[in-house]
Amino acid sequence: MASPSQKIGGFFERVCGSNSTRERERERESEREREREDQRQTIKGRVVLMKKNVMDLNDSKASLIDSFYELLGKQVSLQLISATSVDPVNHYRGRIGSPIYLQRWNCTGSAVTARETEFEVTFDWEEEMGVPGAIRVINRHHSEFYLSSVTLEDVPGHGRIHFVCNSWVYPVRYENERVFFSNKKAYLPCQTPEPLHQYREEELMKLRGNGHGERKTWERIYDYDVYNDLGNPDKGPEYRRPVLGGSKEYPYPRRGRTGRGRTKTDPYTEKRLPLLSLDIYVPRDERFSQVKFSDFIAYAIKSLVQVAIPEIRSLFDKTINEFDSLEDILHIYEVGTNVTNGGTHDTVSNCISWEFIRELGRSDVGFCKFPMPDVIKENNSAWRTDKEFAREMLAGLNPIIIRRLEEFPPASKLEIDKYGNHTSTITKGHIEKNMNGLTVDQAIENNKLFILDYHDALMPYLSRINSTSTKMYATRTLLFLQEDGTLKPLAIELSLPHPQGESYGVTSQVYTPADDGVESYIWQLAKAYVAVNDSGYHQLISHWLHTHAVIEPFVIATNRQLSVLHPIYKLLHPHFRDTMNINALARHILINAGGLLEMTVFPGKYALELSSVSYENWNFMEQALPTDLLKRGVAVEDPDYPHGLRLLIEDYPYAVDGLEVWSAIETWVIEYCSFYYPEDDLVRYDTELQSWWMELRNEGHGDKKCESWWPQMHTRADLIKTCTIIIWVASALHAAINFGQYPYGGYLPNRPTISRRFMPQPGTQEYEELQRNPDLGFLKTITPQQQTLLGISLIEILSRHATDEIYLGQRDNPEWTSDAEALAAFESFGSRLRDIESIINQRNLDRRWNNRFGPVEMQYTLLYPNTSDFSRQGGITGKGIPNSVSI
């Protein structure tokens, strides 16, 4: 019989196991641990980020507080997420590795400028975790930081894996965590590795938001709204503006939603921020970089000084707010203290690290004066010639309006019942005397007659515009194509609504070229009225509406519906950089009620309303350059010619260079899309792509959703055409009509934006004044001094390339993808663009092509890609195609 002690011992042995049993179990556990250790590996990597700048006036204590948080153990952590191994406990998402923390945060300091900081990191990674496909980042600091990239070196079996992040990471009190995907491969939705599938969908849901509430600075939400933020009715009835978009009367593309409250006096108008506030909501990653913002502020400060000095001088002038002569205008370029000359500037600039102060000290232009516009650099009177007047319709700021004349006299498409008869009053007798012996019929048959026609576009608003201080006409200009390829102006028709009412038609005057006497002065004024039409239409329609406004819905839809893993997102994303931010700033200070555009361009308070009327005729498919050239009749299809088109004006610099660039873009898109979409069915059944296209049509351009011309997005061809048009509009088209603004329009007599009085009539005081002093009569008709200074200050800013500019054929990160086929196609694209640069340089040296330089001796370089330039110098260069609508 067992003793009590034996019984107790037996009990514990049965429950806990014998000593030998326990020992064997410990040995087995140790063996399993050794096996795990054998499987556990370390992956070394680098994290590149930019701390919140200590010069940020919104939070100058950011660096100090973050250092204190570090001491409390509240750090920045990173965790790898598997692309091949799921975690059943975490809803079958990719397994998450152990966290690592950024070390020595305080030791790296915080730069006064926007400099990047690099951290060395080491991750633990078990073999059963498979391949890292994403990374989880948690910021427990007080302040946000900008995460540029994370790079993993020597991932077992996979080598180097790169994460392009380029995003602001906010503290956990704003956003619990951020997930970034690797650039190892782009995936269609159906190809996404299962462990990453839910992460992909969740990220898109965060970017869409719920459509409610006012957006906050730290948010990344993309949503749509109408243009209900232009007016300020609480300030007075003269600041009331109609809501653009969402109605049949005022159709318009959508903008980014801010969710601000409504005004007291108008429940449909959104409240405006104070004028000097630049804290306008756009999704956080859409805001300007520190460098871009510093450039922008520096240019604005320069402009204020450049406007103020001549205005102060004018107070002591006998004619306040008037230029007394053309020489008087030249003084704003030639008079002033150039504080950037000399060796002192270089010494000081190199010692200063703040970006915006560096920009104030740039040596390309004096701080107190305007740079000399290219159009008057070589000859300050050549702009007045008929040849230059006509040349700028082909190689100037707005070379996308001129069209071939196909019927004579020119007819109107305005409704006869509403507006009466608007057929042109130009007769054969007006023009045949200057057509080198051809009749009108012969010239039309031989494609020799062309027209710049603003009659129908402006006439419906002319009575309202002329009820203000502006006094202008709707113009038609006929031109003849000569044997040397240049255009000769034949006649200009100036029209006004009939004095008895719009339904009675128009009253028109026709002017023809003259070289001597008062008739030559009258002819100069007629050309000025055309230039006013062209300037306003260019700024409001060609520039703002047809590039800035129409592209913004594509930016919003792409971020809401296409994952960063999607190949089309990767294709289009570079072409949306800074667009939402510059558009938000434009709505704040430029196109708003009483803004700079209303002050300096002829339609005044009707400016944006007029652009809404033009949007009724906007057709996405016609934005393709070949389609546009065919529609305007300046080209015909011909398979024997490059690009399948024969230009009827052979020396048409915009079209010639543009077709080269268009073809390069199209080839790049074809190669890229063909790799990811080898079959049409992949397009049709791509859920994200179809959602993107549906939302773009129904929401972003919702007022045009019923148009039949939208592609169905069922085939690869649909996708290729759509992406090519988007890239063309955002890059080359915008470059062609934006970056020549100061080179051509910085001298306002060449491109006046306002006309203040009608054409002088014989027997009037104005007519006598024109006879006595034609230049003074000219200046009293066009833009006055204050608006001139404001206008050229504005276009000086708009014409400058930023110092962080990224040109077509360039990427901000060479590791934007790891797909070899896509990288090879992009390299080929860049090589083709560099070839185009050489071709353009050769053309500009060939004196056969008169329209490439003209009487002003100003080479056409607006479609010079500048892909070969990595200097990041910026400035007013008159060349270079940035990737996006960014200024």
Side-chain angles (χ1 to χ4, degrees), residues 851-868:
N851 294 327
R852 298 198 73 89
F853 47 87
V856 295
E857 293 293 333
M858 180 179 171
Q859 293 184 353
Y860 186 75
T861 56
L862 291 175
L863 284 171
Y864 180 91
N866 220 29
T867 308
S868 58

mmCIF file of all heavy atoms in Angstrom, residues 851-868:
data_model
loop_
_atom_site.group_PDB
_atom_site.id
_atom_site.type_symbol
_atom_site.label_atom_id
_atom_site.label_comp_id
_atom_site.label_asym_id
_atom_site.label_seq_id
_atom_site.Cartn_x
_atom_site.Cartn_y
_atom_site.Cartn_z
ATOM 1 N N ASN A 851 7.462 81.525 -89.700
ATOM 2 C CA ASN A 851 6.581 81.628 -88.539
ATOM 3 C C ASN A 851 7.232 81.130 -87.255
ATOM 4 O O ASN A 851 6.652 81.266 -86.177
ATOM 5 C CB ASN A 851 5.285 80.858 -88.794
ATOM 6 C CG ASN A 851 4.470 81.480 -89.908
ATOM 7 O OD1 ASN A 851 4.477 82.700 -90.092
ATOM 8 N ND2 ASN A 851 3.782 80.656 -90.684
ATOM 9 N N ARG A 852 8.411 80.543 -87.345
ATOM 10 C CA ARG A 852 9.090 80.046 -86.151
ATOM 11 C C ARG A 852 9.876 81.143 -85.439
ATOM 12 O O ARG A 852 10.389 80.925 -84.335
ATOM 13 C CB ARG A 852 10.010 78.883 -86.498
ATOM 14 C CG ARG A 852 9.283 77.668 -87.078
ATOM 15 C CD ARG A 852 10.119 76.430 -87.001
ATOM 16 N NE ARG A 852 10.210 75.938 -85.627
ATOM 17 C CZ ARG A 852 9.353 75.082 -85.081
ATOM 18 N NH1 ARG A 852 8.330 74.618 -85.775
ATOM 19 N NH2 ARG A 852 9.510 74.703 -83.834
ATOM 20 N N PHE A 853 9.983 82.322 -86.044
ATOM 21 C CA PHE A 853 10.689 83.429 -85.384
ATOM 22 C C PHE A 853 10.017 84.770 -85.628
ATOM 23 O O PHE A 853 9.856 85.565 -84.722
ATOM 24 C CB PHE A 853 12.167 83.476 -85.799
ATOM 25 C CG PHE A 853 12.393 83.364 -87.272
ATOM 26 C CD1 PHE A 853 12.382 84.493 -88.081
ATOM 27 C CD2 PHE A 853 12.623 82.139 -87.870
ATOM 28 C CE1 PHE A 853 12.600 84.402 -89.436
ATOM 29 C CE2 PHE A 853 12.846 82.025 -89.238
ATOM 30 C CZ PHE A 853 12.831 83.156 -90.019
ATOM 31 N N GLY A 854 9.581 85.021 -86.884
ATOM 32 C CA GLY A 854 8.825 86.225 -87.187
ATOM 33 C C GLY A 854 9.622 87.501 -87.093
ATOM 34 O O GLY A 854 10.832 87.495 -86.817
ATOM 35 N N PRO A 855 8.960 88.639 -87.294
ATOM 36 C CA PRO A 855 9.640 89.939 -87.231
ATOM 37 C C PRO A 855 10.265 90.224 -85.870
ATOM 38 O O PRO A 855 11.236 90.982 -85.777
ATOM 39 C CB PRO A 855 8.516 90.943 -87.536
ATOM 40 C CG PRO A 855 7.501 90.152 -88.281
ATOM 41 C CD PRO A 855 7.556 88.776 -87.707
ATOM 42 N N VAL A 856 9.719 89.616 -84.788
ATOM 43 C CA VAL A 856 10.253 89.877 -83.452
ATOM 44 C C VAL A 856 11.476 89.023 -83.147
ATOM 45 O O VAL A 856 12.081 89.152 -82.075
ATOM 46 C CB VAL A 856 9.175 89.639 -82.364
ATOM 47 C CG1 VAL A 856 8.050 90.641 -82.506
ATOM 48 C CG2 VAL A 856 8.648 88.216 -82.410
ATOM 49 N N GLU A 857 11.831 88.113 -84.075
ATOM 50 C CA GLU A 857 12.999 87.233 -83.891
ATOM 51 C C GLU A 857 12.901 86.461 -82.576
ATOM 52 O O GLU A 857 13.828 86.428 -81.768
ATOM 53 C CB GLU A 857 14.297 88.033 -83.948
ATOM 54 C CG GLU A 857 14.604 88.613 -85.308
ATOM 55 C CD GLU A 857 14.915 87.526 -86.353
ATOM 56 O OE1 GLU A 857 15.387 86.440 -85.961
ATOM 57 O OE2 GLU A 857 14.664 87.777 -87.553
ATOM 58 N N MET A 858 11.779 85.803 -82.394
ATOM 59 C CA MET A 858 11.490 85.073 -81.155
ATOM 60 C C MET A 858 11.175 83.629 -81.526
ATOM 61 O O MET A 858 10.129 83.336 -82.087
ATOM 62 C CB MET A 858 10.298 85.742 -80.462
ATOM 63 C CG MET A 858 9.858 85.121 -79.174
ATOM 64 S SD MET A 858 8.467 86.098 -78.520
ATOM 65 C CE MET A 858 7.935 85.049 -77.170
ATOM 66 N N GLN A 859 12.101 82.721 -81.254
ATOM 67 C CA GLN A 859 11.932 81.329 -81.646
ATOM 68 C C GLN A 859 10.758 80.682 -80.937
ATOM 69 O O GLN A 859 10.465 80.995 -79.785
ATOM 70 C CB GLN A 859 13.211 80.539 -81.359
ATOM 71 C CG GLN A 859 14.388 80.926 -82.213
ATOM 72 C CD GLN A 859 15.598 80.043 -81.968
ATOM 73 O OE1 GLN A 859 15.602 79.216 -81.052
ATOM 74 N NE2 GLN A 859 16.629 80.203 -82.784
ATOM 75 N N TYR A 860 10.105 79.746 -81.651
ATOM 76 C CA TYR A 860 8.984 79.018 -81.049
ATOM 77 C C TYR A 860 9.515 77.811 -80.278
ATOM 78 O O TYR A 860 10.018 76.842 -80.867
ATOM 79 C CB TYR A 860 7.988 78.556 -82.108
ATOM 80 C CG TYR A 860 6.755 77.938 -81.486
ATOM 81 C CD1 TYR A 860 5.792 78.742 -80.885
ATOM 82 C CD2 TYR A 860 6.574 76.557 -81.453
ATOM 83 C CE1 TYR A 860 4.668 78.190 -80.287
ATOM 84 C CE2 TYR A 860 5.454 75.996 -80.859
ATOM 85 C CZ TYR A 860 4.509 76.817 -80.272
ATOM 86 O OH TYR A 860 3.405 76.275 -79.666
ATOM 87 N N THR A 861 9.403 77.868 -78.962
ATOM 88 C CA THR A 861 9.920 76.795 -78.106
ATOM 89 C C THR A 861 8.898 76.329 -77.070
ATOM 90 O O THR A 861 9.247 75.583 -76.156
ATOM 91 C CB THR A 861 11.194 77.256 -77.369
ATOM 92 O OG1 THR A 861 10.906 78.456 -76.638
ATOM 93 C CG2 THR A 861 12.336 77.505 -78.337
ATOM 94 N N LEU A 862 7.650 76.756 -77.209
ATOM 95 C CA LEU A 862 6.670 76.445 -76.169
ATOM 96 C C LEU A 862 6.360 74.964 -76.073
ATOM 97 O O LEU A 862 5.889 74.492 -75.036
ATOM 98 C CB LEU A 862 5.379 77.238 -76.421
ATOM 99 C CG LEU A 862 5.501 78.757 -76.211
ATOM 100 C CD1 LEU A 862 4.206 79.456 -76.593
ATOM 101 C CD2 LEU A 862 5.875 79.077 -74.772
ATOM 102 N N LEU A 863 6.623 74.199 -77.144
ATOM 103 C CA LEU A 863 6.422 72.749 -77.097
ATOM 104 C C LEU A 863 7.754 71.999 -77.119
ATOM 105 O O LEU A 863 7.810 70.819 -77.445
ATOM 106 C CB LEU A 863 5.520 72.299 -78.247
ATOM 107 C CG LEU A 863 4.040 72.625 -78.017
ATOM 108 C CD1 LEU A 863 3.219 72.354 -79.277
ATOM 109 C CD2 LEU A 863 3.474 71.836 -76.844
ATOM 110 N N TYR A 864 8.812 72.694 -76.739
ATOM 111 C CA TYR A 864 10.110 72.054 -76.532
ATOM 112 C C TYR A 864 10.017 71.281 -75.220
ATOM 113 O O TYR A 864 9.810 71.868 -74.153
ATOM 114 C CB TYR A 864 11.185 73.125 -76.449
ATOM 115 C CG TYR A 864 12.599 72.627 -76.244
ATOM 116 C CD1 TYR A 864 13.411 72.367 -77.344
ATOM 117 C CD2 TYR A 864 13.117 72.453 -74.974
ATOM 118 C CE1 TYR A 864 14.717 71.931 -77.171
ATOM 119 C CE2 TYR A 864 14.419 72.009 -74.794
ATOM 120 C CZ TYR A 864 15.212 71.750 -75.895
ATOM 121 O OH TYR A 864 16.507 71.322 -75.716
ATOM 122 N N PRO A 865 10.124 69.943 -75.233
ATOM 123 C CA PRO A 865 9.805 69.160 -74.030
ATOM 124 C C PRO A 865 10.662 69.477 -72.804
ATOM 125 O O PRO A 865 10.174 69.457 -71.677
ATOM 126 C CB PRO A 865 10.033 67.721 -74.493
ATOM 127 C CG PRO A 865 9.830 67.756 -75.970
ATOM 128 C CD PRO A 865 10.363 69.085 -76.410
ATOM 129 N N ASN A 866 11.954 69.750 -73.011
ATOM 130 C CA ASN A 866 12.884 69.998 -71.898
ATOM 131 C C ASN A 866 13.103 68.751 -71.044
ATOM 132 O O ASN A 866 13.486 68.845 -69.875
ATOM 133 C CB ASN A 866 12.401 71.152 -71.021
ATOM 134 C CG ASN A 866 13.552 72.056 -70.577
ATOM 135 O OD1 ASN A 866 14.545 72.178 -71.298
ATOM 136 N ND2 ASN A 866 13.427 72.675 -69.431
ATOM 137 N N THR A 867 12.876 67.592 -71.631
ATOM 138 C CA THR A 867 13.063 66.333 -70.918
ATOM 139 C C THR A 867 14.510 66.143 -70.490
ATOM 140 O O THR A 867 14.788 65.502 -69.473
ATOM 141 C CB THR A 867 12.629 65.163 -71.820
ATOM 142 O OG1 THR A 867 11.311 65.423 -72.316
ATOM 143 C CG2 THR A 867 12.636 63.845 -71.074
ATOM 144 N N SER A 868 15.424 66.722 -71.237
ATOM 145 C CA SER A 868 16.848 66.552 -70.952
ATOM 146 C C SER A 868 17.337 67.434 -69.813
ATOM 147 O O SER A 868 18.478 67.309 -69.373
ATOM 148 C CB SER A 868 17.665 66.855 -72.214
ATOM 149 O OG SER A 868 17.412 68.174 -72.669
#
